[in-house]
Amino acid sequence: QSALTQPRSVSGSPGQSVTISCTGTSSDVGGYNYVSWYQQHPGKAPKLMIYDVSKRPSGVPDRFSGSKSGNTASLTISGLQAEDEADYYCCSYAGSYTLGVFGGGTKLTVL
Amino acid sequence: EVQLVQSGAEVKKPGESLKISCKGSGYSFTSYWIGWVRQMPGKGLEWMGIIYPGDSDTRYSPSFQGQVTISADKSISTAYLQWSSLKASDTAMYYCARHLRGYSYDGNYYYYMDVWGKGTTVTVSS
């Protein structure tokens, strides 16, 4: 199972919005509404930010939102803040033979 | 507070065996799947496998099947990841994570990880 495709890096200024894409196939992202997103600060453990494409766990700011169109899922962060600078990973269900597949990760830089 | 506390960093030689641990607290350990994620130096996340401590049902990602063993001791709320013969390529950070499960419309279950341990660094070098 190939990893999902994410841009290596994205950037934005404080207060702006950025969108991170996650492209898969009809066997994973496109076939199911079970995409999750994780934030990882340097040297820290990942943190769940979005699950089931667009649901936010308790405690995650509503500046973070998820969506999906066809084979591409997206994470949008609005009102960028300095603490949003981190790596972001998408993950999708990909059928019964595997637990799931991660994207390669995107480094978000807040300028 | 839900917590996963992982064992400390390890430095091993190729060919040695190793077992690292992840102790859960603040929730019913036997009622949630728990699993392991690998992150090689400077690389992304890789799902290794999961276990349901309630009955020890275990699932592995195809890439890790036969390479590692995941187990759990529900009497002490602890999950384990072990290797029988380490390789240099096993050098990585290993995270344990509590898994939540949903039911997919294709009749199977899907998983996502809501609570993570801080990670255990494993270094394999001669």
Side-chain angles (χ1 to χ4, degrees):
Chain A
Q1 183 71 35
S2 299
L4 306 176
T5 300
Q6 298 181 234
R8 279 192 169 267
S9 63
V10 298
S11 62
S13 299
Q16 288 186 332
S17 293
V18 294
T19 296
I20 299 172
S21 62
C22 169
T23 301
T25 69
S26 58
S27 297
D28 39 63
V29 175
Y32 310 94
N33 291 324
Y34 310 130
V35 176
S36 51
W37 289 88
Y38 301 87
Q39 175 193 64
Q40 186 179 34
H41 288 108
K44 301 294 187 182
K47 175 186 175 183
L48 177 66
M49 303 303 284
I50 295 286
Y51 66 99
D52 289 357
V53 173
S54 60
K55 296 178 181 176
R56 275 189 313 276
S58 174
V60 173
D62 59 7
R63 302 186 295 104
F64 291 84
S65 62
S67 62
K68 193 191 86 166
S69 177
N71 294 339
T72 298
S74 298
L75 174 70
T76 298
I77 310 169
S78 58
L80 263 182
Q81 298 181 4
E83 59 260 38
D84 299 333
E85 186 163 292
D87 293 327
Y88 291 84
Y89 294 90
C90 62
C91 185
S92 176
Y93 175 67
S96 61
Y97 73 98
T98 180
L99 293 172
V101 60
F102 276 102
T106 298
K107 181 177 178 56
L108 168 63
T109 300
V110 180
L111 302 170
Chain B
E1 180 193 6
V2 176
Q3 271 192 311
L4 296 174
V5 178
Q6 297 189 228
S7 51
E10 301 275 0
V11 179
K12 292 288 191 180
K13 291 182 166 46
E16 292 185 333
S17 63
L18 176 64
K19 192 173 189 178
I20 62 175
S21 66
C22 170
K23 182 174 177 61
S25 63
Y27 72 102
S28 174
F29 186 75
T30 54
S31 300
Y32 291 83
W33 290 79
I34 188 165
W36 295 91
V37 174
R38 182 175 78 175
Q39 187 168 37
M40 300 176 77
K43 301 298 184 181
L45 305 174
E46 299 173 273
W47 219 333
M48 301 178 72
I50 56 174
I51 187 167
Y52 188 72
D55 62 7
S56 293
D57 187 7
T58 308
R59 316 278 170 86
Y60 293 94
S61 289
S63 300
F64 293 94
Q65 179 81 48
Q67 307 305 307
V68 296
T69 301
I70 293 172
S71 60
D73 184 340
K74 59 185 180 183
S75 69
I76 55 172
S77 301
T78 300
Y80 301 98
L81 176 66
Q82 72 179 93
W83 296 259
S84 59
S85 180
L86 286 161
K87 302 184 283 286
S89 57
D90 293 317
T91 294
M93 176 72 82
Y94 293 88
Y95 294 101
C96 66
R98 189 178 77 166
H99 285 56
L100 298 183
R101 186 171 78 164
Y103 191 67
S104 170
Y105 64 81
D106 66 356
N108 298 297
Y109 291 101
Y110 67 95
Y111 302 86
Y112 55 94
M113 294 150 274
D114 72 327
V115 179
W116 294 69
K118 294 186 185 302
T120 295
T121 299
V122 174
T123 303
V124 184
S125 174
S126 54

PDB file of all heavy atoms in Angstrom, chain A residues 6-34:
ATOM      1  N   GLN A   6       1.291  14.009   0.331  1.00  0.00           N
ATOM      2  CA  GLN A   6       1.130  15.345   0.928  1.00  0.00           C
ATOM      3  C   GLN A   6       2.244  16.244   0.418  1.00  0.00           C
ATOM      4  O   GLN A   6       3.348  15.771   0.131  1.00  0.00           O
ATOM      5  CB  GLN A   6       1.230  15.279   2.461  1.00  0.00           C
ATOM      6  CG  GLN A   6       0.189  14.443   3.148  1.00  0.00           C
ATOM      7  CD  GLN A   6       0.371  14.484   4.664  1.00  0.00           C
ATOM      8  OE1 GLN A   6       0.471  13.453   5.316  1.00  0.00           O
ATOM      9  NE2 GLN A   6       0.402  15.686   5.221  1.00  0.00           N
ATOM     10  N   PRO A   7       1.994  17.544   0.361  1.00  0.00           N
ATOM     11  CA  PRO A   7       3.096  18.461   0.014  1.00  0.00           C
ATOM     12  C   PRO A   7       4.131  18.417   1.121  1.00  0.00           C
ATOM     13  O   PRO A   7       3.795  18.255   2.288  1.00  0.00           O
ATOM     14  CB  PRO A   7       2.404  19.833  -0.065  1.00  0.00           C
ATOM     15  CG  PRO A   7       1.168  19.694   0.759  1.00  0.00           C
ATOM     16  CD  PRO A   7       0.740  18.270   0.613  1.00  0.00           C
ATOM     17  N   ARG A   8       5.397  18.551   0.739  1.00  0.00           N
ATOM     18  CA  ARG A   8       6.457  18.497   1.749  1.00  0.00           C
ATOM     19  C   ARG A   8       6.356  19.639   2.745  1.00  0.00           C
ATOM     20  O   ARG A   8       6.612  19.464   3.935  1.00  0.00           O
ATOM     21  CB  ARG A   8       7.819  18.514   1.084  1.00  0.00           C
ATOM     22  CG  ARG A   8       8.261  17.174   0.575  1.00  0.00           C
ATOM     23  CD  ARG A   8       9.727  17.198   0.195  1.00  0.00           C
ATOM     24  NE  ARG A   8      10.230  15.864  -0.061  1.00  0.00           N
ATOM     25  CZ  ARG A   8      10.806  15.105   0.844  1.00  0.00           C
ATOM     26  NH1 ARG A   8      10.976  15.549   2.075  1.00  0.00           N
ATOM     27  NH2 ARG A   8      11.240  13.912   0.537  1.00  0.00           N
ATOM     28  N   SER A   9       5.962  20.816   2.235  1.00  0.00           N
ATOM     29  CA  SER A   9       5.900  21.979   3.112  1.00  0.00           C
ATOM     30  C   SER A   9       4.853  22.969   2.637  1.00  0.00           C
ATOM     31  O   SER A   9       4.547  23.028   1.433  1.00  0.00           O
ATOM     32  CB  SER A   9       7.267  22.661   3.185  1.00  0.00           C
ATOM     33  OG  SER A   9       7.641  23.155   1.923  1.00  0.00           O
ATOM     34  N   VAL A  10       4.310  23.694   3.568  1.00  0.00           N
ATOM     35  CA  VAL A  10       3.422  24.822   3.302  1.00  0.00           C
ATOM     36  C   VAL A  10       3.781  25.907   4.300  1.00  0.00           C
ATOM     37  O   VAL A  10       4.391  25.630   5.339  1.00  0.00           O
ATOM     38  CB  VAL A  10       1.927  24.459   3.425  1.00  0.00           C
ATOM     39  CG1 VAL A  10       1.538  23.398   2.405  1.00  0.00           C
ATOM     40  CG2 VAL A  10       1.576  24.030   4.832  1.00  0.00           C
ATOM     41  N   SER A  11       3.401  27.131   3.995  1.00  0.00           N
ATOM     42  CA  SER A  11       3.689  28.226   4.920  1.00  0.00           C
ATOM     43  C   SER A  11       2.589  29.270   4.850  1.00  0.00           C
ATOM     44  O   SER A  11       1.836  29.353   3.867  1.00  0.00           O
ATOM     45  CB  SER A  11       5.045  28.853   4.610  1.00  0.00           C
ATOM     46  OG  SER A  11       5.044  29.407   3.314  1.00  0.00           O
ATOM     47  N   GLY A  12       2.512  30.058   5.900  1.00  0.00           N
ATOM     48  CA  GLY A  12       1.546  31.137   5.950  1.00  0.00           C
ATOM     49  C   GLY A  12       1.910  32.103   7.062  1.00  0.00           C
ATOM     50  O   GLY A  12       2.676  31.761   7.972  1.00  0.00           O
ATOM     51  N   SER A  13       1.359  33.279   6.989  1.00  0.00           N
ATOM     52  CA  SER A  13       1.625  34.298   8.005  1.00  0.00           C
ATOM     53  C   SER A  13       0.566  34.210   9.102  1.00  0.00           C
ATOM     54  O   SER A  13      -0.543  33.704   8.865  1.00  0.00           O
ATOM     55  CB  SER A  13       1.607  35.689   7.370  1.00  0.00           C
ATOM     56  OG  SER A  13       2.607  35.788   6.388  1.00  0.00           O
ATOM     57  N   PRO A  14       0.899  34.696  10.274  1.00  0.00           N
ATOM     58  CA  PRO A  14      -0.093  34.704  11.362  1.00  0.00           C
ATOM     59  C   PRO A  14      -1.393  35.367  10.921  1.00  0.00           C
ATOM     60  O   PRO A  14      -1.379  36.410  10.260  1.00  0.00           O
ATOM     61  CB  PRO A  14       0.606  35.497  12.463  1.00  0.00           C
ATOM     62  CG  PRO A  14       2.060  35.271  12.218  1.00  0.00           C
ATOM     63  CD  PRO A  14       2.201  35.211  10.718  1.00  0.00           C
ATOM     64  N   GLY A  15      -2.493  34.721  11.271  1.00  0.00           N
ATOM     65  CA  GLY A  15      -3.801  35.237  10.923  1.00  0.00           C
ATOM     66  C   GLY A  15      -4.340  34.741   9.601  1.00  0.00           C
ATOM     67  O   GLY A  15      -5.554  34.786   9.361  1.00  0.00           O
ATOM     68  N   GLN A  16      -3.458  34.259   8.739  1.00  0.00           N
ATOM     69  CA  GLN A  16      -3.899  33.737   7.443  1.00  0.00           C
ATOM     70  C   GLN A  16      -4.445  32.319   7.585  1.00  0.00           C
ATOM     71  O   GLN A  16      -4.387  31.716   8.660  1.00  0.00           O
ATOM     72  CB  GLN A  16      -2.728  33.733   6.452  1.00  0.00           C
ATOM     73  CG  GLN A  16      -2.311  35.097   5.970  1.00  0.00           C
ATOM     74  CD  GLN A  16      -1.241  35.012   4.877  1.00  0.00           C
ATOM     75  OE1 GLN A  16      -0.450  34.058   4.813  1.00  0.00           O
ATOM     76  NE2 GLN A  16      -1.205  36.006   4.002  1.00  0.00           N
ATOM     77  N   SER A  17      -4.946  31.802   6.459  1.00  0.00           N
ATOM     78  CA  SER A  17      -5.398  30.414   6.391  1.00  0.00           C
ATOM     79  C   SER A  17      -4.473  29.626   5.484  1.00  0.00           C
ATOM     80  O   SER A  17      -3.974  30.167   4.485  1.00  0.00           O
ATOM     81  CB  SER A  17      -6.827  30.326   5.846  1.00  0.00           C
ATOM     82  OG  SER A  17      -7.749  30.891   6.734  1.00  0.00           O
ATOM     83  N   VAL A  18      -4.255  28.361   5.838  1.00  0.00           N
ATOM     84  CA  VAL A  18      -3.497  27.464   4.976  1.00  0.00           C
ATOM     85  C   VAL A  18      -4.265  26.156   4.845  1.00  0.00           C
ATOM     86  O   VAL A  18      -5.008  25.776   5.758  1.00  0.00           O
ATOM     87  CB  VAL A  18      -2.072  27.169   5.508  1.00  0.00           C
ATOM     88  CG1 VAL A  18      -1.222  28.412   5.493  1.00  0.00           C
ATOM     89  CG2 VAL A  18      -2.121  26.523   6.865  1.00  0.00           C
ATOM     90  N   THR A  19      -4.059  25.498   3.714  1.00  0.00           N
ATOM     91  CA  THR A  19      -4.693  24.205   3.476  1.00  0.00           C
ATOM     92  C   THR A  19      -3.631  23.196   3.100  1.00  0.00           C
ATOM     93  O   THR A  19      -2.772  23.464   2.243  1.00  0.00           O
ATOM     94  CB  THR A  19      -5.743  24.292   2.365  1.00  0.00           C
ATOM     95  OG1 THR A  19      -6.803  25.155   2.787  1.00  0.00           O
ATOM     96  CG2 THR A  19      -6.325  22.919   2.060  1.00  0.00           C
ATOM     97  N   ILE A  20      -3.674  22.049   3.752  1.00  0.00           N
ATOM     98  CA  ILE A  20      -2.756  20.956   3.469  1.00  0.00           C
ATOM     99  C   ILE A  20      -3.547  19.845   2.785  1.00  0.00           C
ATOM    100  O   ILE A  20      -4.571  19.392   3.315  1.00  0.00           O
ATOM    101  CB  ILE A  20      -2.116  20.430   4.767  1.00  0.00           C
ATOM    102  CG1 ILE A  20      -1.321  21.551   5.452  1.00  0.00           C
ATOM    103  CG2 ILE A  20      -1.217  19.233   4.463  1.00  0.00           C
ATOM    104  CD1 ILE A  20      -0.820  21.183   6.840  1.00  0.00           C
ATOM    105  N   SER A  21      -3.085  19.417   1.641  1.00  0.00           N
ATOM    106  CA  SER A  21      -3.786  18.382   0.897  1.00  0.00           C
ATOM    107  C   SER A  21      -3.211  16.995   1.177  1.00  0.00           C
ATOM    108  O   SER A  21      -2.058  16.857   1.610  1.00  0.00           O
ATOM    109  CB  SER A  21      -3.717  18.675  -0.605  1.00  0.00           C
ATOM    110  OG  SER A  21      -2.368  18.672  -1.036  1.00  0.00           O
ATOM    111  N   CYS A  22      -4.008  16.012   0.913  1.00  0.00           N
ATOM    112  CA  CYS A  22      -3.640  14.607   1.150  1.00  0.00           C
ATOM    113  C   CYS A  22      -4.309  13.787   0.051  1.00  0.00           C
ATOM    114  O   CYS A  22      -5.526  13.567   0.091  1.00  0.00           O
ATOM    115  CB  CYS A  22      -4.127  14.197   2.529  1.00  0.00           C
ATOM    116  SG  CYS A  22      -4.048  12.436   2.905  1.00  0.00           S
ATOM    117  N   THR A  23      -3.520  13.357  -0.920  1.00  0.00           N
ATOM    118  CA  THR A  23      -4.090  12.702  -2.096  1.00  0.00           C
ATOM    119  C   THR A  23      -3.832  11.205  -2.069  1.00  0.00           C
ATOM    120  O   THR A  23      -2.696  10.764  -1.895  1.00  0.00           O
ATOM    121  CB  THR A  23      -3.513  13.310  -3.380  1.00  0.00           C
ATOM    122  OG1 THR A  23      -3.810  14.708  -3.407  1.00  0.00           O
ATOM    123  CG2 THR A  23      -4.127  12.645  -4.610  1.00  0.00           C
ATOM    124  N   GLY A  24      -4.894  10.449  -2.255  1.00  0.00           N
ATOM    125  CA  GLY A  24      -4.788   9.002  -2.302  1.00  0.00           C
ATOM    126  C   GLY A  24      -5.439   8.462  -3.550  1.00  0.00           C
ATOM    127  O   GLY A  24      -5.321   9.064  -4.629  1.00  0.00           O
ATOM    128  N   THR A  25      -6.133   7.359  -3.390  1.00  0.00           N
ATOM    129  CA  THR A  25      -6.798   6.706  -4.514  1.00  0.00           C
ATOM    130  C   THR A  25      -8.230   6.344  -4.109  1.00  0.00           C
ATOM    131  O   THR A  25      -8.640   6.580  -2.972  1.00  0.00           O
ATOM    132  CB  THR A  25      -6.049   5.427  -4.914  1.00  0.00           C
ATOM    133  OG1 THR A  25      -6.210   4.458  -3.868  1.00  0.00           O
ATOM    134  CG2 THR A  25      -4.558   5.686  -5.142  1.00  0.00           C
ATOM    135  N   SER A  26      -8.924   5.708  -5.043  1.00  0.00           N
ATOM    136  CA  SER A  26     -10.283   5.271  -4.744  1.00  0.00           C
ATOM    137  C   SER A  26     -10.294   4.099  -3.769  1.00  0.00           C
ATOM    138  O   SER A  26     -11.352   3.735  -3.254  1.00  0.00           O
ATOM    139  CB  SER A  26     -11.000   4.869  -6.030  1.00  0.00           C
ATOM    140  OG  SER A  26     -10.291   3.835  -6.688  1.00  0.00           O
ATOM    141  N   SER A  27      -9.111   3.526  -3.498  1.00  0.00           N
ATOM    142  CA  SER A  27      -9.012   2.417  -2.544  1.00  0.00           C
ATOM    143  C   SER A  27      -8.804   2.888  -1.112  1.00  0.00           C
ATOM    144  O   SER A  27      -8.862   2.082  -0.193  1.00  0.00           O
ATOM    145  CB  SER A  27      -7.853   1.488  -2.928  1.00  0.00           C
ATOM    146  OG  SER A  27      -8.079   0.895  -4.181  1.00  0.00           O
ATOM    147  N   ASP A  28      -8.528   4.169  -0.955  1.00  0.00           N
ATOM    148  CA  ASP A  28      -8.348   4.682   0.409  1.00  0.00           C
ATOM    149  C   ASP A  28      -9.138   5.978   0.602  1.00  0.00           C
ATOM    150  O   ASP A  28     -10.329   5.927   0.897  1.00  0.00           O
ATOM    151  CB  ASP A  28      -6.861   4.841   0.766  1.00  0.00           C
ATOM    152  CG  ASP A  28      -6.005   5.354  -0.384  1.00  0.00           C
ATOM    153  OD1 ASP A  28      -6.255   6.489  -0.824  1.00  0.00           O
ATOM    154  OD2 ASP A  28      -5.103   4.636  -0.841  1.00  0.00           O
ATOM    155  N   VAL A  29      -8.501   7.121   0.396  1.00  0.00           N
ATOM    156  CA  VAL A  29      -9.175   8.404   0.657  1.00  0.00           C
ATOM    157  C   VAL A  29     -10.497   8.501  -0.101  1.00  0.00           C
ATOM    158  O   VAL A  29     -11.525   8.890   0.477  1.00  0.00           O
ATOM    159  CB  VAL A  29      -8.263   9.582   0.296  1.00  0.00           C
ATOM    160  CG1 VAL A  29      -9.015  10.903   0.448  1.00  0.00           C
ATOM    161  CG2 VAL A  29      -7.018   9.592   1.178  1.00  0.00           C
ATOM    162  N   GLY A  30     -10.470   8.175  -1.371  1.00  0.00           N
ATOM    163  CA  GLY A  30     -11.662   8.344  -2.199  1.00  0.00           C
ATOM    164  C   GLY A  30     -12.767   7.353  -1.930  1.00  0.00           C
ATOM    165  O   GLY A  30     -13.934   7.608  -2.249  1.00  0.00           O
ATOM    166  N   GLY A  31     -12.412   6.224  -1.323  1.00  0.00           N
ATOM    167  CA  GLY A  31     -13.391   5.172  -1.134  1.00  0.00           C
ATOM    168  C   GLY A  31     -14.119   5.195   0.191  1.00  0.00           C
ATOM    169  O   GLY A  31     -15.138   4.518   0.347  1.00  0.00           O
ATOM    170  N   TYR A  32     -13.595   5.969   1.124  1.00  0.00           N
ATOM    171  CA  TYR A  32     -14.154   5.964   2.478  1.00  0.00           C
ATOM    172  C   TYR A  32     -14.064   7.354   3.104  1.00  0.00           C
ATOM    173  O   TYR A  32     -13.204   8.141   2.759  1.00  0.00           O
ATOM    174  CB  TYR A  32     -13.381   4.986   3.376  1.00  0.00           C
ATOM    175  CG  TYR A  32     -13.196   3.610   2.790  1.00  0.00           C
ATOM    176  CD1 TYR A  32     -12.037   3.287   2.089  1.00  0.00           C
ATOM    177  CD2 TYR A  32     -14.175   2.635   2.950  1.00  0.00           C
ATOM    178  CE1 TYR A  32     -11.870   2.025   1.559  1.00  0.00           C
ATOM    179  CE2 TYR A  32     -14.001   1.368   2.421  1.00  0.00           C
ATOM    180  CZ  TYR A  32     -12.847   1.069   1.723  1.00  0.00           C
ATOM    181  OH  TYR A  32     -12.681  -0.182   1.205  1.00  0.00           O
ATOM    182  N   ASN A  33     -14.939   7.608   4.054  1.00  0.00           N
ATOM    183  CA  ASN A  33     -14.889   8.873   4.794  1.00  0.00           C
ATOM    184  C   ASN A  33     -14.236   8.679   6.152  1.00  0.00           C
ATOM    185  O   ASN A  33     -14.772   9.080   7.188  1.00  0.00           O
ATOM    186  CB  ASN A  33     -16.303   9.441   4.955  1.00  0.00           C
ATOM    187  CG  ASN A  33     -16.877   9.916   3.639  1.00  0.00           C
ATOM    188  OD1 ASN A  33     -16.156  10.452   2.795  1.00  0.00           O
ATOM    189  ND2 ASN A  33     -18.170   9.698   3.446  1.00  0.00           N
ATOM    190  N   TYR A  34     -13.045   8.057   6.112  1.00  0.00           N
ATOM    191  CA  TYR A  34     -12.366   7.737   7.370  1.00  0.00           C
ATOM    192  C   TYR A  34     -10.929   8.256   7.322  1.00  0.00           C
ATOM    193  O   TYR A  34      -9.962   7.494   7.429  1.00  0.00           O
ATOM    194  CB  TYR A  34     -12.399   6.226   7.628  1.00  0.00           C
ATOM    195  CG  TYR A  34     -13.783   5.618   7.502  1.00  0.00           C
ATOM    196  CD1 TYR A  34     -13.996   4.488   6.728  1.00  0.00           C
ATOM    197  CD2 TYR A  34     -14.879   6.194   8.141  1.00  0.00           C
ATOM    198  CE1 TYR A  34     -15.261   3.934   6.604  1.00  0.00           C
ATOM    199  CE2 TYR A  34     -16.145   5.652   8.033  1.00  0.00           C
ATOM    200  CZ  TYR A  34     -16.329   4.516   7.254  1.00  0.00           C
ATOM    201  OH  TYR A  34     -17.587   3.978   7.132  1.00  0.00           O
TER     202      TYR A  34
END
